[in-house]
Amino acid sequence: MWVLTGGILLLASAYSGLVGYSDSGSTDVDVPSCASDELQDLGEGVDFCDKSMMMDSEVPVPDMLQAVISIEVEAQWDVPDVWIGVVADSEAEKCTETSDGLLLCDTADLEFFAGGPDANGSLNWEIGEGTYRFVAGSSTESSGKTTHIEYAYTVQMTVLLASGIGTLGLLMVGWGIKSD
């Protein structure tokens, strides 16, 4: 029984630590021009091509998560004048609230963890501990466009945890062989 349990732990740690879990998908998103009536209703005389919209809700990542798993997110889109970014929750203090529950921000004032106006159609983010918000913007002044977004994510057990479980499995196999 020790050998079987240890073998299962060895296989699980090897798979979770080396391969992990991955998934991907795609979606189409309508992107209004930065000169659209929808955005102009938020404030007269404002150049929305220099602004970005931030989600009003934050995404917390627990401190212990990074000790157990590593998560990497990748996204690519086909309209280069459109961008998505990730910022710290504290960046919301630099923005003003709009009537539709979003936050309007001066893009130049934000510090991005990933993506942002210089993203050139892609975002790569290795998620770490903290609390984050998503931001989106557009420098498209012509009529709105639709962008196709392809995304993928990978979740893997950290090397430290996989090594610990693998070592435990190896010890169990050794104990099982010795006791037989």
Side-chain angles (χ1 to χ4, degrees):
M1 187 64 154
W2 287 97
V3 174
L4 178 63
T5 305
I8 291 171
L9 286 175
L10 279 170
L11 288 174
S13 68
Y15 180 80
S16 299
L18 297 176
V19 178
Y21 176 77
S22 298
D23 198 10
S24 62
S26 64
T27 188
D28 290 321
V29 177
D30 291 330
V31 180
S33 77
C34 56
S36 71
D37 291 337
E38 303 162 5
L39 293 176
Q40 295 305 321
D41 288 344
L42 297 174
E44 289 194 32
V46 177
D47 181 4
F48 285 95
C49 292
D50 294 334
K51 303 287 184 184
S52 53
M53 300 300 284
M54 181 184 294
M55 290 177 51
D56 192 26
S57 59
E58 63 274 349
V59 179
V61 178
D63 294 346
M64 281 300 297
L65 185 67
Q66 223 173 357
V68 179
I69 59 174
S70 67
I71 304 171
E72 187 172 341
V73 177
E74 297 177 11
Q76 295 180 340
W77 51 93
D78 60 355
V79 178
D81 295 334
V82 175
W83 54 267
I84 302 168
V86 180
V87 297
D89 179 47
S90 60
E91 295 290 304
E93 297 170 3
K94 300 175 182 176
C95 305
T96 56
E97 194 167 338
T98 65
S99 60
D100 60 356
L102 295 172
L103 301 174
L104 182 64
C105 311
D106 285 319
T107 304
D109 294 343
L110 301 176
E111 287 185 45
F112 292 88
F113 280 103
D118 300 325
N120 295 322
S122 68
L123 175 136
N124 293 309
W125 182 33
E126 190 167 326
I127 299 175
E129 61 188 55
T131 304
Y132 304 97
R133 290 184 188 243
F134 290 95
V135 182
S138 168
S139 60
T140 305
E141 291 189 35
S142 61
S143 62
K145 296 181 179 181
T146 299
T147 185
H148 181 72
I149 300 174
E150 293 187 18
Y151 58 88
Y153 62 89
T154 303
V155 179
Q156 288 182 296
M157 191 181 302
T158 61
V159 174
L160 181 63
L161 184 61
S163 299
I165 292 174
T167 301
L168 177 62
L170 193 59
L171 290 172
M172 290 177 79
V173 168
W175 177 261
I177 291 172
K178 181 181 176 193
S179 64
D180 283 341

